[in-house]
Amino acid sequence: MSDQYQHDGPAIEVSRTSVRYPDGHLGIQDISLTLPHACVCALIGPNGSGKSTLCKTILGFTRPTSGRVQLMGMTVRQAQKRNLVAYVPQAEEVDWQFPVSVRDVVMMGRQGQMNWLRIPSATDRRHVEAAMTRMEITDLAHKQIGMLSGGQKKRVFLARALAQGSRILVLDEPFTGVDAHTEQGIMALISGLREEGVTVLIVTHALSNVPQYCDHVAMVSRQLIAFGPVATTFTQRHLAATFGDVMADTVLSGVEADLPERTASWSLS
């Protein structure tokens, strides 16, 4: 990841942020949280709880009705212009029929660094090749994106984010529709990025994985139910307040069952 910008304050700072849509629907209400650099944070909550709204507000796709969001000490728009934030979307957000190759998709991560003619430089090509190598998709470079499996597609968009060289990475449901090898590889990648100083925010329903790869967790249900280190926040009480008692017990029993078995198999250094 690039060290194009250094900032001593928080990587992500959400301050008393609310979103109400034009039809009157409340997306999120009065949410505040602060994420340090080199941190992995899970964003969890029931369906319709405001996870996507909060995520899109942090990314600048949705404007807050009140409050503010800062990334690396600047506005979201300023951070976008500096290519400080990258996004890996859900599969449902992508047009898989668009006639574009794997290499072209990964190169899209470099557009913010290209000249006005959008002609890739040697540096751009180097970043793209390194990202594809890291995600083990070099052999897929010339394939049309729609021909890939679910796990391969996810790796392509992760490679696009890597090629961008951002300091903040937002992953929306990265474990949905992928095989076990890809899931474990994503977990290894996340750990590697944290060591490189990247802040990773993960919107996920894979709750049993949270204690294994996350430092922090934010639980939302329109409002912020709980936020803090996983060790003190990912508890039965907070899970019950977010999902209900039955779900909390199920998740925690699953965590205990899974912890000894989870190991990452990709070498992504």
Side-chain angles (χ1 to χ4, degrees):
M1 285 288 166
S2 168
D3 291 325
Q4 56 187 308
Y5 179 78
Q6 299 296 325
H7 173 61
D8 293 333
I12 299 175
E13 186 174 13
V14 180
S15 303
R16 305 205 65 177
T17 298
S18 299
V19 173
R20 187 175 291 276
Y21 292 101
D23 63 0
H25 175 72
L26 179 66
I28 54 175
Q29 184 173 15
D30 199 31
I31 288 182
S32 296
L33 57 86
T34 301
L35 288 182
H37 298 281
C39 166
V40 178
C41 179
L43 177 58
I44 65 175
N47 289 333
S49 63
K51 298 189 303 295
S52 293
T53 298
L54 178 56
C55 180
K56 290 176 180 178
T57 304
I58 289 172
L59 290 163
F61 301 160
T62 298
R63 244 185 204 188
T65 308
S66 61
R68 70 171 187 172
V69 175
Q70 287 195 307
L71 306 178
M72 306 286 288
M74 59 184 69
T75 67
V76 174
R77 185 173 180 81
Q78 290 170 331
Q80 289 172 334
K81 287 183 176 180
R82 288 178 174 261
N83 298 294
L84 295 176
V85 57
Y87 175 51
V88 177
Q90 292 188 49
E92 292 79 5
E93 299 178 38
V94 179
D95 179 5
W96 299 114
Q97 301 309 311
F98 191 75
V100 63
S101 71
V102 166
R103 178 175 276 111
D104 290 337
V105 171
V106 181
M107 186 63 75
M108 291 175 185
R110 298 297 303 168
Q111 287 188 355
Q113 287 92 341
M114 292 180 190
N115 60 34
W116 64 276
L117 292 174
R118 292 292 187 264
I119 299 174
S121 66
T123 298
D124 294 324
R125 286 190 285 270
R126 187 169 63 251
H127 278 280
V128 166
E129 293 305 318
M132 289 196 299
T133 298
R134 189 170 185 179
M135 297 310 305
E136 299 181 355
I137 57 170
T138 302
D139 59 326
L140 305 175
H142 300 292
K143 281 199 171 185
Q144 198 271 334
I145 189 70
M147 297 172 60
L148 306 181
S149 68
Q152 289 171 334
K153 290 173 181 175
K154 189 68 68 175
R155 281 188 265 163
V156 170
F157 278 86
L158 284 164
R160 183 185 69 169
L162 290 175
Q164 187 173 329
S166 301
R167 307 306 305 166
I168 297 170
L169 177 61
V170 179
L171 307 176
D172 196 353
E173 296 294 349
F175 304 112
T176 300
V178 302
D179 56 33
H181 175 68
T182 300
E183 177 182 327
Q184 292 174 5
I186 292 171
M187 291 168 66
L189 175 66
I190 290 168
S191 296
L193 292 175
R194 174 175 50 203
E195 292 175 5
E196 295 168 22
V198 178
T199 297
V200 185
L201 178 64
I202 306 168
V203 182
T204 183
H205 282 100
L207 303 184
S208 62
N209 287 340
V210 170
Q212 301 169 59
Y213 60 81
C214 293
D215 309 299
H216 286 67
V217 59
M219 303 181 183
V220 298
S221 184
R222 302 296 177 201
Q223 296 178 312
L224 189 66
I225 303 300
F227 170 69
V230 168
T232 56
T233 309
F234 197 76
T235 64
Q236 199 279 340
R237 181 168 66 89
H238 290 146
L239 286 166
T242 307
F243 297 98
D245 289 321
V246 174
M247 175 64 80
D249 292 338
T250 301
V251 169
L252 290 177
S253 63
V255 168
E256 292 172 0
D258 283 353
L259 276 174
E261 302 175 359
R262 295 292 188 177
T263 57
S265 59
W266 286 358
S267 175
L268 295 175
S269 58

